[in-house]
Amino acid sequence: MTNMPEHDVAIIGGGPVGLAAALCLADAGLSVTVLERANEQQWAEPAFDGREIALTWHARTLLERIGAWKHIPESIICPLREARIETGRASHPLIFDAENASSPTDGPLGWLVANNMIRRALHAEATTRPGITLAPSIAVSTMRQDGDTTVIHHSAGKTRARLAIGADGRFSPTRRRAGIGAVIHDFRRMMMVCRMAHEAPHHNVALQWFDEGQTIALLPVNGGASSLVLTLPAEDINRLMHAPQDAFNAEIMQRTGNRMGAMRLVSTRHAYPLKAVYAHHFTARRLALIGDAAVGMHPITAHGFNLGLRGAETLATEVGKAFSQGQDFAAPAVLRRYEHQHRAATAPMFAATNSIATLYTRDAAPFRALRSLGLRLADALPPFKSAVTSMLMDRNAGSISS
C-alpha cells in the first residue's frame, strides 16, 4: 500500500497554465495536487509584474468554462478593438480589427487583462475545488519512477502521483531533470514593461511599432493608460529601470514620438530577457510539459499565454478521456496524442514568430526596406489580413457569455 499514489496528477508549478490544467483535470474527475515555490500569500495575491495578457476568444471561453473568469473584476478587463503595426517613423500601418476576420463580428479582437489578475482568478477558483490540493512553499528536488507511479521529492517530503506535469517556466527544472533538451533562441535583447498614463486617448487600439533601434508596444488598459513594452539592448533597459521618474517620463515620450501626448509612469517597472524556448519533447515516462516549459514564445505575436492554455486543455482532454474509460491515463500512447496535437499547434507559430522577430528587430537597410514592403503587401491582400485576424481572435471556442 505504501506505493499507492496520493493523487492522480501532480503539477509542478502553480502559475496560470499550471492552475488552468489543474482545473481542467479536476473537471474531468481526477484528483490533482499543485506544487508551487511561492508562499501562500504570494501565490494567492501575486503582485503586478508589468505583463498584460491579450486573451483570445478561445482563451476567454476556457477561463469561463473552468470558473476563473468570474473572479476577474470587469473594471480591469480592456476590450481590444484594433491592432496596428508600424515600422519606421512614417510608414503605412497594417491594421487588424474584427471586421477583417473571415467571420466578421461586432465584438473585439480580444481582451487585455493583467497577468497577475489572471493568476489571482485561477488560484481563487482552484481553492473552491475539493479535487485540487494546493501546496505552497514547495521546492522540488528530484523525481523518480516507481512502477506505475511518479515519486516527487521536495522540501515538504514526497508526493506520489500517476502523472507528473511540468509547468515551471521556460527554464523548467522539471524538463532538465527529465533529461529533455530544448531549442533556445536568444534575441540578445531585454524587454521592459510598465504602465504609462497619457494625455491622448488610446481608443482601445494596440500599437506594435518597429522603430530604428527599438521595438515599442503600447497596449491599452482601462483608465486612460497603456502598458508600455519596450525592447532594447540590456544596457539601455538597465539604465531605464533605474532612471529617475521625471527623466524616465521624458525619455519615453521622446521614444514614442510624443504620439500619446504627456506621459507619466504609474506602475513599477519590470524587465525580462527575450529568449524563446521549444522543448525537444513535450513528454517522457509519466511526465508531460505544458506552458513555457514546453513552448516559450517571443511576445511579439502575443500568443504565448493563449497557446499555453490550449496545451493545458489538450492534455486534460486526452488524460480525461483515458481516465473516463478506465485506462492508464499516463500511458505513453495517451501522452503521445497530447504531444502530437500540441506540436502541430505550436511549431508553425514558433517558427513564424521567431522569423518575424528577427526581421523586424534588425536595423540594417535591407531589413528596414523588407519590413516596410511586407506591411504594404500584407495590407493590400485582404485574404491574408482575414486569415491573420481570425488567428489572432481564435474564435473556435464556442460562445462568450454576456
Side-chain angles (χ1 to χ4, degrees):
M1 294 295 291
T2 57
N3 291 330
M4 291 295 292
E6 297 102 354
H7 306 277
D8 294 321
V9 182
I11 300 175
I12 302 170
V17 174
L19 288 170
L23 289 163
C24 289
L25 290 163
D27 282 347
L30 290 94
S31 64
V32 186
T33 186
V34 186
L35 311 176
E36 167 59 28
R37 289 187 63 91
N39 65 41
E40 187 171 359
Q41 182 175 356
Q42 292 168 336
W43 197 9
E45 299 180 2
F48 176 73
D49 63 9
R51 291 176 287 188
E52 303 291 332
I53 305 300
L55 295 168
T56 64
W57 289 67
H58 184 99
R60 174 173 168 173
T61 299
L62 175 61
L63 292 174
E64 286 184 342
R65 192 172 78 237
I66 61 179
W69 188 258
K70 65 178 178 286
H71 297 287
I72 302 176
E74 188 175 351
S75 61
I76 64 119
I77 301 169
C78 184
L80 178 59
R81 300 294 175 187
E82 183 180 295
R84 183 183 183 99
I85 302 174
E86 300 179 12
T87 182
R89 293 270 168 169
S91 71
H92 182 80
L94 178 59
I95 296 173
F96 298 99
D97 58 37
E99 293 182 0
N100 294 140
S102 54
S103 299
T105 176
D106 291 332
L109 280 173
W111 296 265
L112 285 154
V113 182
N115 182 58
N116 68 313
M117 299 306 292
I118 296 173
R119 294 171 68 112
R120 288 185 185 203
L122 287 160
H123 185 278
E125 180 62 20
T127 62
T128 70
R129 303 297 187 89
I132 298 177
T133 301
L134 299 178
S137 303
I138 297 294
V140 172
S141 54
T142 62
M143 288 192 306
R144 65 178 178 83
Q145 303 299 322
D146 185 5
D148 61 357
T149 301
T150 295
V151 183
I152 303 168
H153 294 265
H154 49 71
S155 52
K158 61 184 177 182
T159 296
R160 292 179 176 271
R162 297 287 188 200
L163 172 67
I165 297 176
D168 47 351
R170 65 185 62 199
F171 306 113
S172 167
T174 300
R175 185 180 68 223
R176 188 181 67 248
R177 290 187 192 101
I180 300 174
V183 174
I184 300 178
H185 190 140
D186 188 348
F187 292 93
R188 302 186 185 279
R189 291 288 187 273
M190 292 284 289
M191 176 180 73
M192 184 190 68
V193 286
C194 62
R195 282 191 181 182
M196 303 290 294
H198 44 74
E199 192 175 31
H202 53 55
H203 300 297
N204 295 81
V205 175
L207 169 69
Q208 182 82 46
W209 182 20
F210 302 99
D211 196 13
E212 189 170 348
Q214 63 180 7
T215 301
I216 294 173
L218 288 170
L219 308 177
V221 297
N222 293 336
S226 292
S227 172
L228 170 73
V229 186
L230 178 62
T231 302
L232 290 168
E235 58 271 21
D236 292 318
I237 292 296
N238 289 332
R239 176 181 55 78
L240 281 167
M241 285 289 293
H242 299 95
Q245 187 161 332
D246 288 345
F248 179 85
N249 293 342
E251 181 165 342
I252 296 305
M253 289 171 61
Q254 182 272 326
R255 286 185 175 277
T256 57
N258 293 311
R259 64 192 302 153
M260 303 304 290
M263 302 180 76
R264 60 185 177 85
L265 181 67
V266 291
S267 76
T268 49
R269 291 167 263 188
H270 304 266
Y272 302 96
L274 278 181
K275 293 184 180 182
V277 176
Y278 202 92
H280 293 160
H281 304 283
F282 296 168
T283 64
R285 187 183 174 197
R286 298 197 170 272
L287 170 69
L289 302 176
I290 60 174
D292 282 357
V295 183
M297 300 281 287
H298 188 291
I300 200 168
T301 57
H303 255 51
F305 180 77
N306 296 292
L307 286 173
L309 285 184
R310 186 176 282 278
E313 181 185 27
T314 300
L315 177 62
T317 297
E318 293 301 328
V319 168
K321 192 185 305 179
F323 176 76
S324 68
Q325 295 171 356
Q327 300 172 358
D328 180 0
F329 55 81
V334 175
L335 300 186
R336 275 198 301 270
R337 287 195 291 270
Y338 154 68
E339 175 158 20
H340 175 76
Q341 292 176 61
H342 197 45
R343 196 170 289 277
T346 58
M349 180 72 76
F350 184 82
T353 298
N354 286 353
S355 298
I356 292 169
T358 299
L359 173 62
Y360 279 84
T361 54
R362 293 190 180 181
D363 292 321
F367 288 98
R368 295 201 304 271
L370 274 174
R371 62 199 191 208
S372 180
L373 176 63
L375 291 188
R376 288 180 178 276
L377 287 175
D379 196 44
L381 295 171
F384 173 82
K385 288 185 68 174
S386 175
V388 173
T389 303
S390 297
M391 180 198 71
L392 292 172
M393 295 177 70
D394 192 11
R395 293 198 69 183
N396 184 25
S399 62
I400 297 290
S401 65
S402 58

